[in-house]
């Protein structure tokens, strides 16, 4: 991948639009350190996870595990499912998503619109995250079935491989000038996959992993959280792709701070998702203490359009005690100050 990264002027498949996502400078300090956002919502389906969805299907085909007319099964909170739905539709596969009601409704509607069969692991309307139960059901559904694969995103090496191009896109765009990479840790594929490849190009880059408070990858205590598509809830195994040797520091950000940041960033004109809000919150906290002239890149894995019923819905937020006007005001002031530099 040494050649310049460019997209053809005309493409014939939606998946050909994956990648080449833009970098946006959200703010900078007086000393010239800047926070750049890798806007992965500019991928098809509005999320980074279509990158690894394609890579997992490519690998299954190459290994002879998936043939024309086959079936793909995955446990998903939404974004991986959206990516797999697109790839399945392009290649003529049936896709079954095992889901729970923790997922944003718009993600579930999107998968269904793309032809996905939705199977709920619980049908009582409870919002609890049921990652372990979802994965057990998905594995059971695929076991012994001909021409059927459970892509098993949390333990599939191709998940991480799907993000290798992100490293090359960053290296090319910044001519190697990246000091800190910060991103959410769910399956570990996005952050660790990008880091693994990026360190071949920029050996000194420092990587910061962010998970919700209540997630267990970086230790306890465990409790429920509302940030979706990220973290490792109690009862779920930490994915094989979470490579602690590639993460220099792991931190936790609470739902209130993550969602307040997403809402504050929206008032600058940019909609980002709830877990991306957690990443940006931690990035804003760290930015002023970086050496002068540093470049920090935050991976923004999806946009805010899928969270109109949750993060950007005052009624939903208030019902769960997730709004803190003082926290939002503080983030507004921080962004205003830094964006003036």
């Amino acid at each position: 991948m040494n050649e310049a990264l460019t997209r053809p002027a005309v493409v014939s498949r939606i998946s050909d639009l994956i990648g080449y996502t833009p970098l946006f400078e959200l703010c900078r300090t007086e000393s010239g350190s800047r926070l750049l956002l890798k806007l992965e919502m500019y991928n098809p389906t509005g999320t980074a996870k279509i990158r690894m969805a394609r890579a997992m299907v490519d690998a299954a085909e190459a290994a002879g595990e998936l043939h024309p007319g086959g079936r793909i099964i995955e446990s998903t909170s939404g974004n991986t499912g959206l990516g797999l739905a697109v790839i399945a539709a392009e290649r003529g596969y049936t896709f079954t998503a095992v889901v729970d009601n923790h997922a944003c409704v718009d993600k579930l509607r999107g998968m269904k619109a793309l032809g996905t069969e939705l199977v709920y692991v619980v049908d009582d309307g409870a919002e609890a995250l049921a990652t372990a139960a979802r994965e057990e059901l998905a594995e059971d559904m695929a076991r012994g079935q001909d021409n059927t694969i459970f892509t098993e995103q949390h333990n599939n090496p191709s998940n991480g491989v799907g993000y290798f191009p992100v490293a090359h896109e960053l290296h090319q765009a910044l001519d190697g000038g990246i000091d800190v990479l910060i991103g959410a840790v769910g399956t570990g594929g996005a952050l660790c996959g990008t880091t693994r490849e990026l360190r071949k190009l920029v050996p000194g880059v420092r990587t910061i992993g962010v998970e919700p408070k209540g997630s267990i990858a970086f230790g306890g205590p465990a409790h429920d959280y509302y940030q979706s598509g990220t973290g490792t809830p109690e009862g779920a195994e930490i994915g094989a792709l979470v490579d602690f040797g590639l993460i220099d520091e792991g931190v936790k950000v609470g739902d209130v701070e993550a969602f307040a940041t997403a809402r504050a960033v929206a008032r600058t004109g940019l909609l980002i998702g709830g877990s991306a809000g957690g990443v940006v919150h931690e990035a804003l906290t760290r930015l002023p203490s970086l050496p002068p002239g540093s470049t920090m890149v935050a991976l923004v894995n999806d946009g805010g359009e899928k969270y109109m019923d949750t993060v950007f819905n005052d009624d939903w937020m208030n019902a769960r005690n997730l709004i803190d006007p003082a926290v939002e005001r503080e983030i507004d002031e921080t962004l205003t100050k830094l964006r003036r530099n």
Side-chain angles (χ1 to χ4, degrees), residues 22-61:
L23 282 166
F24 171 69
E25 182 178 303
L26 180 64
C27 55
R28 66 169 58 214
T29 66
E30 291 182 352
S31 66
S33 292
R34 57 183 181 163
L35 172 58
L36 307 181
L37 308 184
K38 180 66 166 162
L39 298 181
E40 288 289 277
M41 70 278 273
Y42 284 91
N43 282 303
T45 72
T47 169
K49 292 193 174 182
I50 194 170
R51 293 182 184 263
M52 62 96 148
R54 178 174 63 180
M56 291 192 300
V57 175
D58 284 347
E61 291 174 342

Side-chain angles (χ1 to χ4, degrees), residues 177-240:
I178 174 173
D179 302 289
V180 180
L181 179 70
I182 185 168
V185 176
T187 68
L191 186 64
C192 295
T194 301
T195 296
R196 184 178 300 279
E197 190 73 0
L198 187 59
R199 287 196 176 156
K200 299 176 184 177
L201 307 167
V202 187
V205 67
R206 180 173 173 80
T207 295
I208 310 297
V210 180
E211 70 173 348
K213 288 182 179 178
S215 176
I216 63 170
F218 301 131
H223 56 75
D224 291 342
Y225 55 87
Y226 287 99
Q227 294 172 65
S228 66
T230 187
T232 306
E234 187 174 22
E237 293 185 4
I238 298 172

Side-chain angles (χ1 to χ4, degrees), residues 132-218:
R134 286 197 330 244
E135 292 183 359
E136 183 178 353
L137 178 57
E139 185 175 11
D140 286 346
M141 291 176 66
R143 186 179 294 113
Q145 298 299 309
D146 184 53
N147 200 15
T148 299
I149 61 163
F150 170 33
T151 42
E152 198 177 2
Q153 59 175 312
H154 284 85
N155 296 302
N156 191 324
S158 297
N159 177 341
V161 172
Y163 294 102
F164 284 3
V166 178
H168 291 270
E169 291 170 27
L170 291 175
H171 183 255
Q172 178 177 300
L174 300 173
D175 196 24
I178 174 173
D179 302 289
V180 180
L181 179 70
I182 185 168
V185 176
T187 68
L191 186 64
C192 295
T194 301
T195 296
R196 184 178 300 279
E197 190 73 0
L198 187 59
R199 287 196 176 156
K200 299 176 184 177
L201 307 167
V202 187
V205 67
R206 180 173 173 80
T207 295
I208 310 297
V210 180
E211 70 173 348
K213 288 182 179 178
S215 176
I216 63 170
F218 301 131

Side-chain angles (χ1 to χ4, degrees), residues 20-27 34-42 166 169-170 173-174 178 180-183 261-262 264-266 268-273 276-284 287 295-303 335 339:
Y20 318 99
T21 54
L23 282 166
F24 171 69
E25 182 178 303
L26 180 64
C27 55
R34 57 183 181 163
L35 172 58
L36 307 181
L37 308 184
K38 180 66 166 162
L39 298 181
E40 288 289 277
M41 70 278 273
Y42 284 91
V166 178
E169 291 170 27
L170 291 175
L174 300 173
I178 174 173
V180 180
L181 179 70
I182 185 168
T261 303
V265 170
T268 73
L270 177 67
L271 287 169
I272 64 174
V279 173
V280 174
H281 183 273
E282 185 64 25
L284 289 171
L287 187 64
T295 294
M296 174 185 283
V297 173
L299 299 177
V300 173
N301 285 339
D302 73 350
L335 281 170
R339 287 173 67 83

